[in-house]
């Protein structure tokens, strides 16, 4: 395996660290939060730069409007709240005030997916990637660990235009380099080579995909290429097509609904350019439920076992 787990860390803390560093480097960076400063790990930023932090309260729609206004004033606003509130609750404001006007607003969304756990279906949004990627001008980024979330936050400072950064609450393996010269918005990362199957994953399921690939190699001699698609939009189409040109079999893995997610984007690409067998590891048209995160990942078919089963299925097609 190319990367090794250096310890479990929550990706939301990667956002907090990246935002603080970004603000130290660029005086135009400002932060906004909807009454969840501690949960979004923005408290150090707020303490260090009190005049560049705006506590908007439980008024997410207003927060997006304020962020758009700050962008018009030349600032680089990072507006943060839970993923459910950052997308479904304020979709109209994002569409009209941010994307239609092509404002330089960074929407930073924590507590996404089933790994939110005990908070249950009302908070476990599984549709947000699809909602955001459908908006013109929007960039969608789903980093895989703490280090990459920090780097993505830093890179967004110099990225012009609306962006959606999706991360989570639980502590997960931190396995990418702290300073990763290969990280580029809009470019895939090949984490493991393999000739039999290409696995495209994002977020928490990148690590699960690496584990599944290693187990398939040891148990059955099946060699899987594992690719981190941290940028869902714009999709790195040419690199993806090049990656699958040898394996000819594809598995996608994501902590999101099958409809509208990473797998949906890759399937559309393949249908247009290179039709090949594909299996998708994702939630199948269902809301989540309250429960222990690992148990939920197993129940909804997002764990290592599910990825291995998808690898086996695609090779029969």
């Amino acid at each position: 395996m190319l990367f090794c787990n250096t310890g479990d860390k929550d990706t939301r803390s990667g956002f907090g660290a990246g935002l603080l560093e970004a603000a130290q480097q660029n005086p135009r960076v400002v932060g906004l939060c909807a009454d969840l400063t501690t949960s979004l790990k923005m408290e150090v930023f707020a303490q260090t730069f009190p005049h560049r932090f705006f506590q908007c309260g439980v008024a997410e729609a207003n927060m997006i409007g304020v962020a758009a206004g700050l962008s018009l004033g030349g600032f680089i606003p990072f507006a943060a709240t839970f993923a459910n509130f950052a997308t479904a609750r304020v979709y109209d404001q994002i569409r009209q005030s941010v994307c239609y006007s092509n404002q330089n607003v960074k929407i930073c969304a924590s507590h996404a997916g089933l790994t939110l756990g005990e908070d249950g279906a009302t908070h476990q949004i599984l549709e947000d990637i699809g909602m955001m990627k459908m908006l013109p001008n929007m960039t969608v980024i789903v980093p895989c660990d703490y280090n990459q979330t920090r780097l993505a936050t830093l890179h967004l400072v110099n990225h012009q235009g609306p962006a959606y950064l999706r991360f989570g609450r639980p502590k997960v393996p931190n396995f990418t380099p702290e300073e990763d010269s290969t990280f580029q918005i809009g470019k895939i990362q090949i984490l493991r080579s393999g000739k039999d199957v290409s696995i495209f994953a994002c977020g928490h399921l990148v690590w699960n995909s690496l584990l599944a690939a290693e187990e398939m190699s040891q148990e059955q001699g099946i060699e899987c290429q594992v690719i981190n698609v941290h940028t869902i939009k714009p999709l790195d189409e040419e690199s993806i097509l090049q990656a699958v040109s040898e394996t000819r079999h594809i598995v996608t893995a994501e902590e999101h609904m099958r409809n509208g997610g990473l797998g949906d984007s890759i399937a559309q690409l393949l249908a247009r350019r290179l039709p090949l067998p594909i299996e998708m590891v994702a939630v199948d048209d269902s809301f989540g439920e309250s429960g222990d995160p690992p148990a939920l990942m197993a129940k909804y078919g997002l764990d290592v076992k599910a990825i291995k089963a998808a690898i086996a299925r695609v090779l029969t097609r």
Side-chain angles (χ1 to χ4, degrees), residues 23 132 152 228 245:
M132 292 296 105
N228 176 21
S245 61

Side-chain angles (χ1 to χ4, degrees), residues 76 146 152 175 179 204 210 228-229 259 267 272 279 286:
I76 306 172
Y146 170 97
F175 58 96
E179 300 301 331
H204 295 150
L210 286 167
N228 176 21
V229 190
N259 293 332
R272 287 187 289 108
E279 291 286 336
S286 170

Side-chain angles (χ1 to χ4, degrees), residues 230-291:
H230 51 69
T231 305
I232 312 294
K233 182 188 176 186
L235 195 65
D236 189 1
E237 295 191 353
E238 298 306 321
S239 297
I240 289 171
L241 292 171
Q242 183 178 355
V244 303
S245 61
E246 180 182 354
T247 62
R248 314 292 291 185
H249 293 85
I250 296 96
V251 170
T252 63
E254 59 193 308
E255 191 183 348
H256 187 268
M257 200 81 72
R258 181 177 292 116
N259 293 332
L262 168 64
D264 175 89
S265 291
I266 291 181
Q268 288 188 47
L269 169 63
L270 296 176
R272 287 187 289 108
R273 302 279 301 276
L274 186 65
L276 290 169
I278 181 171
E279 291 286 336
M280 301 183 192
V281 175
V283 176
D284 185 14
D285 195 31
S286 170
F287 290 106
E289 62 183 284
S290 180

